Amino acid sequence: MAPKASSQSDDLAARLVAGLHKVGLAMKSRPWRRTGMAGIGPLQVQVLRFLHSMPKGTATVSAVAQELSVKLPTASEVIKTLERKHLVRRVRSESDNRVVTVHLTPKGRREGRAASDWPVMMEAATKHLSRQEQVSLLQILVKLIRALQLKGEVQVARMCVSCQYFSPNAHPGSEDPHHCNFVDAPFGNRLLRIDCPDYVAASEAQAQEAWKIFLHSPPA
């Protein structure tokens, strides 16, 4: 007897999750396999990556906690561990004793650079996909991240659709249906950003309307 459609669908979802899990494992294990970062845990690697991506390699402890979607005490403990390993240093604000910034040391910069090279691996892998498959994958990732945001699993995602500068499907029927008001230019789904440095959060009402239009727009 052939399996029911619902069980087939559930099985497909399980296979998708298994595939994403494999990709996640590859990304997590790369620092240890390629750079020998012995004794540095996953959260510590994420902190180094985040600081390496920031201007001047610095951020507040609260920003680190928000980026990693962890509570402030957890972020503080991870940062203290990195400080003991001479990878970061903490600096308390002179004007506000409650504010502490975290700075990469020269050693931390080297480790952060090494830990951040996984996009090169992923970029090489995605080149095995066709152009249309890459665009489709980007759209799927945007939707998956949004779903995780709604469940509270992802706190920070500087994506186009939630940005106040984003106008979805402003040019319907064209190859570049959306419009970025920051640069005042149209663009298509192939140029959607998941972590834009120019991102400014839209109001809740604007973001909800943008997502509604985006999710019901034809592929671009």
Side-chain angles (χ1 to χ4, degrees):
M1 181 181 294
K4 294 181 179 180
S6 60
S7 64
Q8 289 179 327
S9 177
D10 292 343
D11 189 45
L12 174 58
R15 293 198 300 274
L16 288 170
V17 170
L20 290 171
H21 179 63
K22 291 290 187 183
V23 174
L25 285 176
M27 291 165 58
K28 283 184 177 181
S29 65
R30 184 174 174 82
W32 290 272
R33 288 188 290 109
R34 295 298 300 273
T35 64
M37 296 174 69
I40 301 181
L43 269 182
Q44 295 171 43
V45 171
Q46 289 181 56
V47 172
L48 292 175
R49 285 174 178 166
F50 174 56
L51 291 175
H52 184 262
S53 71
M54 298 298 290
K56 300 181 180 180
T58 182
T60 63
V61 175
S62 58
V64 172
Q66 185 179 23
E67 180 70 22
L68 271 59
S69 299
V70 298
K71 294 182 178 180
L72 196 58
T74 300
S76 297
E77 191 59 38
V78 173
I79 289 165
K80 287 178 182 177
T81 301
L82 289 171
E83 188 172 40
R84 288 196 294 269
K85 296 175 181 178
H86 308 292
L87 295 171
V88 304
R89 61 185 178 88
R90 292 176 297 163
V91 178
R92 194 171 295 277
S93 172
E94 295 181 357
S95 59
D96 188 343
N97 192 53
R98 297 168 299 177
V99 178
V100 177
T101 54
V102 188
H103 303 255
L104 284 174
T105 64
K107 179 181 177 182
R109 285 184 181 277
R110 291 193 297 272
E111 299 291 10
R113 188 181 306 114
S116 300
D117 74 347
W118 63 264
V120 177
M121 170 193 71
M122 293 303 296
E123 183 178 351
T126 57
K127 287 182 179 179
H128 290 274
L129 304 177
S130 69
R131 180 71 170 177
Q132 187 54 50
E133 286 173 332
Q134 291 180 34
V135 174
S136 296
L137 178 58
L138 179 58
Q139 290 177 257
I140 291 167
L141 288 173
V142 167
K143 293 179 180 180
L144 278 175
I145 293 170
R146 174 60 175 172
L148 290 170
Q149 274 188 309
L150 293 175
K151 291 183 177 295
E153 298 295 338
V154 175
Q155 300 298 321
V156 179
R158 293 173 281 268
M159 298 190 295
C160 289
V161 189
S162 299
C163 180
Q164 73 172 27
Y165 297 118
F166 181 70
S167 295
N169 207 29
H171 312 285
S174 72
E175 292 185 356
D176 299 308
H178 312 307
H179 198 90
C180 175
N181 295 305
F182 182 80
V183 296
D184 192 22
F187 69 101
N189 287 340
R190 67 191 182 281
L191 295 178
L192 285 169
R193 289 189 174 187
I194 291 177
D195 192 15
C196 178
D198 302 314
Y199 173 87
V200 177
S203 67
E204 184 176 349
Q206 181 185 350
Q208 287 181 351
E209 182 63 20
W211 278 105
K212 180 180 177 181
I213 296 172
F214 174 77
L215 292 173
H216 292 88
S217 298

